[in-house]
Amino acid sequence: MREKIPIGKMAKLNNITIQTLHHYDKIGLLSPCYIDPETNYRFYSIKQCACLDFIKYLKNMGFTLQEVKEVFAETDADSIPRLLDEQFQLIDQKMNELAQVKKTLKVAAENYRTYMQIPKMGVVKRESLPERIIYCYDGKRDIYEDQLETYEYLLRELRDLALIHQFPTSYFCNVGSITRMETIKQRKLTSTEIFMFVDTVCSDVKGIELLPAHEYVSIYCDHFSQEKEYAFKLIDYIVENQLEIAGDYICEVIVELPCRTQYERQMIMKLQIPVKRIN
């Protein structure tokens, strides 16, 4: 070896730290070419810079140090493309996961902005809502009998089914319950069905439904115990304004707030009933 390069100089030449070189040696990725037996000083060869360059190259492509070691352990260069293809697929998967995280953040931010703009709880308004898609699950238990306890159990079941169908976790931040039109017309608030909003129609998944674009009467509610009172307030408004119920009653969770107690979910809900004028 023409020149023995001290570890500090080797680190400086390659814009890395001495600790990094120590770590590479410890895990068997790159060891000094010479260690002084008396002083225990570590020395490298300038030729080893090529190895450090390749390590950086692979790290920039997302390889972990363990995966870099596996690449170095390959004696056949023909296997390198396979490893690169596997890394490409892994990064593609991570990008999809990050896209879902981004979507979750976007939905959550929009919901919180909606919450901040709510003028007052308990005020009925009329509005046109676009077509929406839901994945609905019937848990066969009325959430209004045992209130939040049943609701929490049904949410667990909905989450499990969402995982089975490989729905993005972002869907789970926008859930609700549904009372069918025939029931709400009788001024009854009972529901065994909860849902999550989804982006696209999955024709092979049972439980996908379309909420058509329609005019709605809606009201915001900030506690589960008030929902029945506010739902009946919507029905009274419909009767007083000579309207007719035109579809299912929807209770949509707009946003969840940090729990004030350890025992109860804090939700801001938007109660909605599609309407039409009486002919």
Side-chain angles (χ1 to χ4, degrees):
M1 183 173 60
R2 294 178 59 185
E3 180 184 8
K4 295 194 293 252
I5 301 175
I7 189 171
K9 184 178 179 180
M10 188 67 170
K12 188 174 181 179
L13 282 171
N14 291 279
N15 295 312
I16 58 177
T17 65
I18 293 174
Q19 289 76 14
T20 297
L21 287 172
H22 277 299
H23 183 61
Y24 287 175
D25 182 23
K26 182 178 179 179
I27 65 175
L29 187 57
L30 179 68
S31 298
C33 63
Y34 176 75
I35 299 178
D36 190 300
E38 295 182 3
T39 63
N40 209 35
Y41 285 170
R42 297 158 180 261
F43 295 91
Y44 291 82
S45 164
I46 190 66
K47 295 179 181 179
Q48 290 180 288
C49 290
C51 184
L52 289 172
D53 287 344
F54 199 67
I55 292 172
K56 287 183 180 180
Y57 177 60
L58 293 176
K59 286 181 65 181
N60 286 338
M61 289 190 286
F63 283 84
T64 65
L65 290 180
Q66 180 58 40
E67 290 167 340
V68 171
K69 282 186 64 177
E70 292 172 8
V71 172
F72 281 5
E74 293 288 343
T75 57
D76 185 1
D78 292 342
S79 63
I80 302 299
R82 174 183 57 79
L83 295 173
L84 296 177
D85 286 341
E86 290 174 357
Q87 185 65 13
F88 182 85
Q89 294 172 9
L90 179 61
I91 289 183
D92 200 37
Q93 177 184 337
K94 289 180 179 178
M95 289 176 65
N96 289 334
E97 291 171 354
L98 285 173
Q100 291 303 325
V101 171
K102 184 178 180 181
K103 185 183 295 183
T104 302
L105 289 170
K106 182 180 179 181
V107 171
E110 289 174 352
N111 287 346
Y112 272 93
R113 278 192 288 268
T114 298
Y115 164 65
M116 298 299 293
Q117 293 169 3
I118 296 173
K120 190 177 181 181
M121 297 291 168
V123 176
V124 178
K125 69 173 184 176
R126 289 169 66 173
E127 60 182 327
S128 294
L129 294 177
E131 180 182 87
R132 294 167 292 173
I133 310 168
I134 61 172
Y135 169 66
C136 196
Y137 165 65
D138 188 350
K140 308 297 184 182
R141 286 162 287 170
D142 185 4
I143 63 175
Y144 296 102
E145 283 189 3
D146 296 322
Q147 297 192 356
L148 283 177
E149 288 83 356
T150 298
Y151 180 71
E152 291 293 348
Y153 279 113
L154 294 186
L155 278 180
R156 305 309 110 202
E157 294 168 14
L158 179 66
R159 189 193 298 269
D160 290 343
L161 286 171
L163 292 174
I164 291 173
H165 293 306
Q166 297 183 326
F167 286 138
T169 54
S170 58
Y171 289 169
F172 206 74
C173 69
N174 205 186
V175 299
S177 62
I178 185 168
T179 298
R180 297 302 176 179
M181 180 172 64
E182 296 77 13
T183 302
I184 201 67
K185 276 187 172 182
Q186 299 173 35
R187 203 179 176 87
K188 294 180 181 178
L189 191 62
T190 61
S191 176
T192 62
E193 298 176 89
I194 60 175
F195 68 85
M196 61 173 65
F197 286 101
V198 298
D199 289 333
T200 56
V201 175
C202 306
S203 57
D204 59 335
V205 176
K206 182 181 179 181
I208 294 293
E209 296 184 27
L210 287 177
L211 301 180
H214 216 286
E215 182 181 13
Y216 283 76
V217 293
S218 61
I219 191 170
Y220 288 96
C221 176
D222 62 359
H223 199 278
F224 188 83
S225 63
Q226 295 177 314
E227 184 185 349
K228 184 171 291 189
E229 174 192 346
Y230 283 9
F232 291 162
K233 192 172 182 179
L234 286 180
I235 296 173
D236 291 339
Y237 179 92
I238 291 169
V239 173
E240 292 166 5
N241 288 270
Q242 297 184 327
L243 299 171
E244 184 179 351
I245 295 174
D248 300 327
Y249 164 88
I250 299 294
C251 173
E252 174 188 357
V253 178
I254 296 296
V255 71
E256 293 197 20
L257 302 176
C259 294
R260 291 191 291 269
T261 74
Q262 59 179 316
Y263 299 111
E264 189 170 305
R265 189 182 296 269
Q266 305 296 319
M267 301 179 290
I268 306 299
M269 299 166 286
K270 183 179 181 180
L271 318 181
Q272 312 151 49
I273 300 178
V275 294
K276 62 182 179 181
R277 287 207 167 273
I278 298 176
N279 296 327

